[in-house]
Amino acid sequence: MRVNPQRGCFPRRFAVRISELSEVTGMPIATLKFYLREGVLHPGEAQAKTQSFYDDSHVERVRLVRALTEVGGLSIAATKMVVDAMNDPQVDRLSLLATAQKSLAPPVIVPRREHPLARQLLDKLGWEYSDGDRMVDLLERQLEVAAEADVGMTMAHMVGLARLAHDIAEVDISLVPDDATLAVRNTVLGTAVSDKLLITLRRLAQSDVARRAGAETPQLEPISD
């Protein structure tokens, strides 16, 4: 059976070879085999000793993996962690979201046993957290850098930023759908995209505040080809 390139998928009741899965997803066969070896793509239905067939669920998974790695910036190991959670029927929606969020946490070169600066801020905010969370490690390091650089960030300043971040997080969670695949996609990709958007909006907001205060802000020249 030939796939329909315009539809970009095929009916679940039909099965195709890996070459046709490659055609409909736009991914090289070698990449699909790599996904299979790493366990981020579930095996096809074996039809012969050296041949398997794939259906629409494989198309959906390939596209999710590609989005997580290329847009979300996840490693294959982090992607497998998310996929394994999605495949576990015992994992509830909130646990799945926690796994997706954990996959976004960058590696910390030197994990910390204690987090005095981070604990002071988080406890003041009344947030629930785990000392073993890599994001707490990262926050500790960032607060250390801010203190060493002496950029004038007071506790009141950090609390204000944190509360704004909490407001954003409440909007983020409210928009997460019930469907597991969409929940993971929206959490990981939405966070990756909105992080960059928030940086841009912050810069524009700073420019607006400065202009309203009477300051002149430099205009960047467009980059010519």
Side-chain angles (χ1 to χ4, degrees):
M1 186 202 80
R2 300 296 296 172
V3 298
N4 184 339
Q6 294 183 336
R7 289 185 59 206
C9 61
F10 34 79
R12 188 178 294 275
R13 63 180 180 276
F14 292 111
V16 298
R17 296 180 177 85
I18 195 169
S19 59
E20 292 170 301
L21 180 62
S22 172
E23 180 184 341
V24 76
T25 60
M27 297 297 287
I29 293 176
T31 300
L32 295 177
K33 290 183 176 180
F34 172 69
Y35 286 174
L36 288 165
R37 288 196 304 272
E38 295 299 316
V40 294
L41 177 62
H42 48 294
E45 182 179 350
Q47 298 292 318
K49 193 170 184 180
T50 59
Q51 192 174 68
S52 296
F53 286 83
Y54 305 88
D55 62 23
D56 205 49
S57 68
H58 294 88
V59 175
E60 295 170 2
R61 180 56 56 81
V62 169
R63 288 176 175 163
L64 175 64
V65 170
R66 185 175 186 176
L68 294 178
T69 55
E70 294 185 7
V71 181
L74 270 62
S75 66
I76 286 294
T79 300
K80 187 174 188 306
M81 178 177 68
V82 173
V83 168
D84 287 346
M86 290 174 60
N87 292 337
D88 187 347
Q90 302 301 318
V91 174
D92 59 31
R93 178 172 173 269
L94 291 180
S95 297
L96 182 58
L97 291 179
T99 300
Q101 291 162 349
K102 184 178 179 181
S103 70
L104 292 167
V108 178
I109 297 176
V110 182
R112 309 301 179 88
R113 289 182 177 274
E114 298 181 351
H115 309 89
L117 299 177
R119 182 183 290 277
Q120 181 185 13
L121 175 59
L122 296 173
D123 288 349
K124 188 174 185 64
L125 292 163
W127 290 5
E128 296 183 10
Y129 63 95
S130 168
D131 281 329
D133 192 328
R134 282 183 294 173
M135 296 306 291
V136 177
D137 274 346
L138 183 61
L139 177 61
E140 180 70 19
R141 178 54 185 158
Q142 290 171 339
L143 292 175
E144 286 179 350
V145 170
E148 292 167 359
D150 193 20
V151 293
M153 290 186 66
T154 65
M155 176 60 70
H157 186 183
M158 290 184 289
V159 167
L161 290 176
R163 286 176 175 161
L164 288 173
H166 200 275
D167 289 342
I168 293 170
E170 289 183 337
V171 174
D172 289 339
I173 297 301
S174 71
L175 296 176
V176 174
D178 292 328
D179 178 83
T181 299
L182 288 177
V184 168
R185 181 184 179 86
N186 289 11
T187 300
V188 177
L189 303 189
T191 300
V193 172
S194 64
D195 279 354
K196 294 180 176 61
L197 178 61
L198 286 170
I199 291 173
T200 302
L201 288 172
R202 183 181 186 185
R203 299 294 183 272
L204 287 170
Q206 289 172 339
S207 176
D208 175 70
V209 171
R211 287 175 183 276
R212 291 174 185 275
E216 292 187 5
T217 56
Q219 294 293 321
L220 296 179
E221 294 294 331
I223 299 175
S224 58
D225 296 331

